[in-house]
Each structure stands twice: as structure tokens, then as C-alpha cells.
């Protein structure tokens, strides 16, 4: 059996179409235009390309969008002042600070200064807590993207065995919290394995998984004999394993031994092209939710 590929770009495009309709309706019925500011400190090429892509998508969806570029020498106090300005700006519903920040700046201090209702990355401890107790308006982008991929390919995870490999604050832990929610699109039995899990036990847990979500940062880690026949495998990993002689570009691999695992799974995300394309779209979804929250159209 060869697995059906879950194509992130196609799912993301579908969600953006849905969002565009929602944005048009928010404008027409409620006179609300979702507003997003992306703050870039310095000129790291990777960060520049990320914020450019985020702004482009925001523009295509008809958002009010602001790109705020700051020099790498900006003082922490000045950056905090800028966050405060956007916290108070009623036209801005989502504030995104592109990471990494220069070493002279305390990243957590900056992220925690963002109004939790405008924290569209959902990294603020208030949002982390809200998600855990099931009272939230938006979810961290990467695990939220994984949930969309699962629901729109495999189907509702309700009652299924979900195993998450990895427990980072940005992927593994929120993924566990999302899949645990007593809500449609979740309500699963969730296990999380990590470096504290003995390897033989980890393999046993993975073999039980109807849905296996891997975010370990170890190239081609999950082997075919760890995967249940017919499982849905979501590979979050993005690892550079070399440089292509032909193109000079990085060769990427996920955390799953794709070629072997695809013969066992029923659904699988490729790397690249699986989870990656979802992240920016989920950021846009969060900004729409933040705009609705600010307008009182939804409540936490
Ligand atoms: P991270 O912060 O390094 O966390 C990795 C997690 O995996 C940790 O909890 C670690 O356990 C666990 N782990 C590491 N080696 C393991 C092993 N051999 N067996 C079991 N567990 C192991 O990484 P992350 O930020 O979660 O990212 C994970 C991967 O996803 C990376 O490849 C990253 O590039 C990728 N990523 C992709 C996207 C995207 O949009 N596609 C977004 C974010 C991340 P301990 O806690 O015990 O150390």
C-alpha cells in the first residue's frame, strides 16, 4: 500500500479561500478589517523572507497590514515601547515579532509584552494556559496546521490513538493540548514520547498510533516498523541533510523515513510540502479570530 500524500499547499489554499470569504463578510457586515503588524529586527535573510511571505498573504486576504522594520541595534526598551503602541492601536488585531531577536534583547520579555488577545503566534503564557483549559480564540500556528491536515485528510481524531513524538513548547506540547480538547477535530487519546521515553517503549507507543505526529528534529528518525498499517503520519521535522550539487540548495528531510513509511501509512505529509506551507495560513486565521475577538463577535 502506498500512502495518500497530504499536500500542505493545497489544504492551505483551501483554508485561505475560506478566510477570504470570512474577511469579505467581516468588512461588509461589521466594518472590520483584520489588522496584522509584523515586526522585524535586523536583516537576517531567513527572517526577511518569512515576514515578506506573511505580509504578502495578509495583503492577498485584504488585511490592513503593517511591516515594521527596526535596526538590529534597537534597544529592548524601545522595542517594548513599540509593542505597547501596537497593543493600543485599534486597527491592529495581531502582533507578530519575527524571531530570532538579537542577543541583546530578552526574547521572552518582548513576547510576553504582547497583549494576549493580539498574540497571534499564541506563545504568551496566558494563551498557553487558555489552550490547556480549553478557553481560547486561537492556537499556535504549526500544531494548529497539523490539526487541519489531519481533519481534512484522515478525518476526525475523536477516539483515536494519537502519539506525539517531541514535547517542545512550540510544537509537541501544544499539539498534545489541541488533540486532548473535548471538541470536534480533537477528543483523542493522546500519548507524548520524548528523550525520557526508553526507545523500546517509544517504538511500542508509536506502533499503537492511529495518528502519529513527529516533531523531534532528528532526520528520518521514525522507521516503517514503528508505524501501524493504515496510520496517518504527520511529519513536522525540517532537517537540512546536505546541499544539492545540482541546485546549490539545501536538501531537506523530515523526521520520518518517508520512502519506507509511505508504504505502511494510509496518509503521510511530505517534507517539504506538508506541514510547512500551513504555518502562515494559520497565522492569518489567528489574525481573523483576533479581529473577531476584539469586536466581541467571539468570546473566550
Ligand atoms: P525542539 O525544540 O528541538 O524539540 C524537539 C523535541 O523532540 C524535544 O521535546 C525532544 O525531547 C524531542 N526529541 C529529540 N530527539 C528525540 C529522540 N531521539 N527521541 C524522542 N524524542 C526526541 O524542536 P521543535 O521546535 O519542536 O521542532 C521539531 C522539528 O520540527 C524540527 O525539525 C523543526 O525544524 C521542525 N519545525 C517545523 C515547523 C514547520 O512549520 N514545518 C515548525 C516548527 C518546527 P526533550 O524535550 O526530552 O529534549
Amino acid at each position: 500500500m502506498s500512502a495518500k500524500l497530504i499536500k500542505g499547499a493545497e489544504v492551505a489554499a483551501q483554508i485561505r479561500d475560506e478566510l477570504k470569504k470570512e474577511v469579505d463578510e467581516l468588512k461588509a457586515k461589521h466594518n472590520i478589517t483584520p489588522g496584522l503588524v509584523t515586526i522585524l529586527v535586523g536583516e537576517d535573510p531567513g527572517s526577511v523572507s518569512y515576514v515578506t511571505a506573511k505580509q504578502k498573504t495578509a495583503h492577498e486576504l485584504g488585511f490592513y497590514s503593517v511591516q515594521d522594520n527596526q535596526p538590529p541595534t534597537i534597544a529592548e526598551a524601545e522595542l517594548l515601547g513599540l509593542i505597547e503602541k501596537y497593543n493600543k492601536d485599534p486597527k491592529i488585531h495581531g502582533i507578530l515579532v519575527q524571531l530570532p531577536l538579537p542577543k541583546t534583547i530578552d526574547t521572552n520579555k518582548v513576547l510576553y509584552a504582547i497583549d494576549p488577545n493580539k498574540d497571534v503566534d499564541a506563545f504568551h503564557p496566558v494563551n498557553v494556559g487558555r489552550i490547556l483549559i480549553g478557553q481560547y480564540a486561537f492556537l499556535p500556528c504549526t500544531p494548529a496546521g497539523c490539526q487541519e491536515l489531519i481533519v481534512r485528510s484522515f478525518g476526525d481524531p475523536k477516539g483515536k490513538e494519537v502519539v506525539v513524538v517531541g514535547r517542545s513548547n512550540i510544537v509537541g506540547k501544544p499539539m498534545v493540548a489541541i488533540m486532548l480538547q473535548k471538541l470536534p477535530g480533537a477528543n483523542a487519546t493522546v500519548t507524548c514520547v520524548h528523550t525520557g521515553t526508553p526507545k523500546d517503549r517509544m517504538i511500542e507507543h508509536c506502533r499503537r498510533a492511529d495518528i502519529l505526529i513527529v516533531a523531534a528534529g532528528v532526520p528520518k528518525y521514525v522507521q516503517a516498523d514503528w508505524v501501524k498499517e493504515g496510520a496517518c503520519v504527520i511529519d513536522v521535522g525540517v532537517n537540512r541533510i546536505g546541499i544539492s550539487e545540482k541546485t546549490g540548495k539545501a536538501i531537506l528531510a523530515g523526521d520520518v523515513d518517508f520512502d519506507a513509511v509511505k508504504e505502511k501509512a494510509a496518509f503521510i505529509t511530505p517534507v517539504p510540502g506538508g506541514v510547512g506551507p500551513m504555518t502562515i495560513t494559520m497565522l492569518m486565521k489567528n489574525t481573523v479570530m483576533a479581529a473577531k475577538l476584539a469586536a466581541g463577535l467571539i468570546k473566550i
Side-chain angles (χ1 to χ4, degrees), residues 3-183:
K4 188 170 188 304
L5 276 192
I6 304 175
K7 294 179 183 160
E10 284 178 13
V11 178
Q14 196 183 336
I15 296 173
R16 285 197 303 277
D17 282 347
E18 294 163 12
L19 281 177
K20 181 78 177 78
K21 288 191 188 96
E22 209 173 333
V23 172
D24 291 346
E25 201 175 302
L26 277 175
K27 286 182 178 177
K29 282 197 188 155
H30 301 282
N31 198 23
I32 296 166
T33 301
L36 175 70
V37 59
T38 48
I39 301 174
L40 174 66
V41 178
E43 288 172 354
D44 170 72
S47 297
V48 170
S49 83
Y50 281 132
V51 290
T52 306
K54 287 167 186 171
Q55 282 295 324
K56 182 172 173 276
T57 311
H59 184 73
E60 283 165 4
L61 289 174
F63 287 13
Y64 166 65
S65 59
V66 177
Q67 173 56 44
D68 190 329
N69 292 324
Q70 295 295 328
T73 50
I74 188 172
E76 187 180 278
E78 207 182 328
L79 187 55
L80 290 171
L82 206 59
I83 304 269
E84 199 42 39
K85 182 184 93 171
Y86 290 120
N87 278 344
K88 289 184 182 143
D89 185 341
K91 294 203 295 300
I92 294 294
H93 305 106
I95 302 172
L96 181 125
V97 179
Q98 185 63 45
L99 301 181
L101 290 172
K103 290 197 170 55
T104 49
I105 292 175
D106 181 340
T107 300
N108 282 348
K109 209 168 166 185
V110 171
L111 294 182
Y112 300 172
I114 298 173
D115 176 345
N117 288 358
K118 296 191 177 191
D119 166 42
V120 282
D121 253 340
F123 290 158
H124 194 290
V126 166
N127 285 324
V128 175
R130 284 173 171 171
I131 293 161
L132 215 53
I133 60 173
Q135 293 177 355
Y136 56 85
F138 37 77
L139 297 166
C141 300
T142 299
C146 294
Q147 183 187 32
E148 291 283 0
L149 293 176
I150 293 164
V151 170
R152 290 170 191 250
S153 57
F154 175 86
D156 197 334
K158 182 181 176 190
K160 300 294 180 191
E161 292 281 344
V162 172
V163 175
V164 180
V165 183
R167 58 175 162 191
S168 72
N169 289 335
I170 61 162
V171 190
K173 280 185 200 156
M175 194 71 246
V176 168
I178 290 170
M179 285 289 123
L180 270 180
Q181 301 295 324
K182 196 171 178 179
L183 287 172

Side-chain angles (χ1 to χ4, degrees), residues 142 165-168 170-171 194-195 202 215-218 221 236-239 255 275-276 279:
T142 299
V165 183
R167 58 175 162 191
S168 72
I170 61 162
V171 190
H194 41 74
T195 60
M202 178 161 51
V218 183
Y221 185 51
V236 185
V238 181
N239 307 288
D255 288 352
V275 175
T279 309

